[in-house]
Amino acid sequence: MLQIAVGSDRSAATLHTIEAPQPTARAGELLIKAAYAGVNRPDILQRQGAYPPPPEASPVLGLEVSGQVAALGADVSGWQVGDNVCALTPGGGYAEWCTTPAGQALALPRGLSLEQAASLPENWFTVWANLVIHGRLRAGECVLVHGGSSGIGVAATQLARLIGARCIVTVGSEAKARFCREFSSVEAIDYRSEDFVARTRELTQGEGVDLVLDMVGGDYIPRNLGVLRRDGRLVLIALQRGAKAEVDFGTVMRNRLVITGSTMRPRSIAEKTAIRDALLHEVWPALGEGRVRTHVHAVFPLNDAARAHQVMESGEFFGKLLLQMP
Ligand SMILES: NC(=O)c1ccc[n+]([C@@H]2O[C@H](COP(=O)([O-])OP(=O)(O)OC[C@H]3O[C@@H](n4cnc5c(N)ncnc54)[C@H](OP(=O)(O)O)[C@@H]3O)[C@@H](O)[C@H]2O)c1
């Protein structure tokens, strides 16, 4: 089968296809004949050598796929060969065939194509974990989502609206602001032309927000704390501007703030299965009814994975980038 390999200097341009043996489903796993794979920012970090895969995982890039179940490992029930699925994978998604624990696979939401379904797992598992489990977002609250036009940002925005929360996003251009306003009906702040702290306070009549979902980190951390109202939560999911910050913990005490964060990949299969079950119950019906949407910006053939990574690195896209298998 064909899969993607990373060249010696680890740049996007060095991504290339190689022939490799087809994996086999171990106990508890599905073998999936992939149709599409999602491209995610963590893939860029892994390609660069900054985000090594967990020891048990495939070293091949790719955290999500859609396709058809081709074989069941021992002790797998509830799936049949030929079923259409999308799945969070432990790695190995940039390949024609991949395996994943059966508890990380989901049937397609009603009416969605395999292409659309490939855009869902990594982002929706992540935003569910961070907005609902760690962030405890509730109806009537207000959340600030940084990177509102990213794959994660679009899913977070859609989930916030599904929960019944007000959502404000930050983005790096007016085109991205327009996309977020039109696609997700949210308030958007262009952080390059406006101070997001002042603008968020203005949009909330000085009250601030209940939750910040942050993928920026660094100097954003104290600024995020400055837009949280009493009992607010800061949930960190990436540290693009650094892992260190100077924080006034007086603000944390006075406003009873919670600072937390998480990563998806190292979670146990049981934890991922519990998130899968929650998504099937709470989000998949809404996707099927069109109350929640996903946005695929572009689809690249597998042998053009280099271009997909270059586009992701350019930041010139909205929502998701996918790879299509031959
Ligand atoms: N913790 C986890 O479990 C987990 C799981 C998946 C992904 N992630 C992380 O979540 C982030 C989004 O992932 P993705 O796959 O959706 O990637 P993506 O589409 O490439 O999004 C990255 C986003 O970061 C934004 N950004 C960069 N600097 C910013 C700044 N100073 N202020 C506001 N936004 C800024 C960019 O927005 P602009 O272009 O508008 O600046 C861009 O939309 C990545 O950092 C990824 O590593 C974490």
Side-chain angles (χ1 to χ4, degrees), residues 2-315:
L2 287 175
Q3 71 182 34
I4 293 295
V6 181
S8 55
D9 76 357
R10 296 189 165 272
S11 68
T14 66
L15 291 180
H16 59 283
T17 50
I18 57 168
E19 275 292 339
Q22 188 181 309
T24 50
R26 296 171 297 185
E29 291 183 341
L30 301 178
L31 174 68
I32 299 172
K33 172 80 180 80
Y36 296 90
V39 177
N40 294 286
R41 179 70 52 168
D43 304 346
I44 307 283
L45 301 175
Q46 183 177 332
R47 191 202 77 222
Q48 293 169 336
Y51 191 48
E56 293 283 290
S58 163
V60 177
L61 300 177
L63 299 172
E64 61 188 346
V65 297
S66 66
Q68 283 187 330
V69 175
L72 312 180
D75 306 324
V76 172
S77 57
W79 294 105
Q80 294 193 335
V81 170
D83 284 347
N84 281 335
V85 285
C86 58
L88 187 72
T89 67
Y94 288 16
E96 291 180 287
W97 300 80
C98 94
T99 56
T100 197
Q104 294 176 203
L106 307 97
L108 270 52
R110 188 187 301 271
L112 264 66
S113 63
L114 282 168
E115 180 185 304
Q116 291 169 308
S119 72
L120 302 173
E122 173 67 10
N123 291 163
W124 279 91
F125 275 70
T126 301
V127 301
W128 185 269
N130 290 288
L131 289 189
V132 176
I133 299 173
H134 304 301
R136 303 191 311 275
L137 184 63
R138 293 181 291 272
E141 289 193 325
C142 183
V143 55
L144 176 69
V145 173
H146 291 302
S149 68
S150 65
I152 289 280
V154 170
T157 305
Q158 297 279 315
L159 178 56
R161 285 169 39 85
L162 181 68
I163 288 169
R166 178 181 174 192
C167 187
I168 301 169
V169 300
T170 66
V171 288
S173 72
E174 188 44 43
K176 289 183 174 182
R178 207 175 315 118
F179 166 78
C180 291
R181 289 184 196 115
E182 286 169 8
F183 189 79
S184 300
S185 308
V186 292
E187 293 144 291
I189 301 168
D190 179 351
Y191 66 83
R192 292 185 202 274
S193 60
E194 291 178 291
D195 170 26
F196 82 80
V197 176
R199 184 70 183 130
T200 302
R201 292 213 151 274
E202 193 175 273
L203 287 171
T204 56
Q205 284 75 46
E207 291 278 310
V209 300
D210 300 283
L211 178 63
V212 177
L213 182 69
D214 186 26
M215 58 177 75
V216 181
D219 60 330
Y220 265 43
I221 293 173
R223 298 174 74 199
N224 289 329
L225 297 177
V227 297
L228 283 172
R229 59 190 298 180
R230 184 154 294 171
D231 293 315
R233 289 86 69 195
L234 167 60
V235 183
L236 293 152
I237 59 165
L239 300 164
Q240 297 183 81
R241 282 166 74 141
K244 298 202 171 145
E246 193 170 310
V247 166
D248 171 6
F249 281 96
T251 310
V252 174
M253 287 161 62
R254 271 191 305 281
N255 290 333
R256 303 188 304 240
L257 305 181
V258 174
I259 304 173
T260 184
S262 76
T263 54
M264 179 53 57
R265 204 171 183 187
R267 284 173 197 261
S268 68
I269 296 170
E271 284 177 289
K272 290 174 182 168
T273 301
I275 296 171
R276 187 276 311 259
D277 292 345
L279 290 174
L280 277 175
H281 195 252
E282 304 289 342
V283 176
W284 258 225
L287 279 159
E289 291 158 16
R291 287 184 289 126
V292 161
R293 296 190 293 155
T294 186
H295 182 77
V296 175
H297 180 90
V299 183
F300 300 85
L302 182 69
N303 63 14
D304 211 3
R307 180 85 194 111
H309 273 222
Q310 285 161 343
V311 171
M312 179 157 273
E313 285 175 327
S314 77

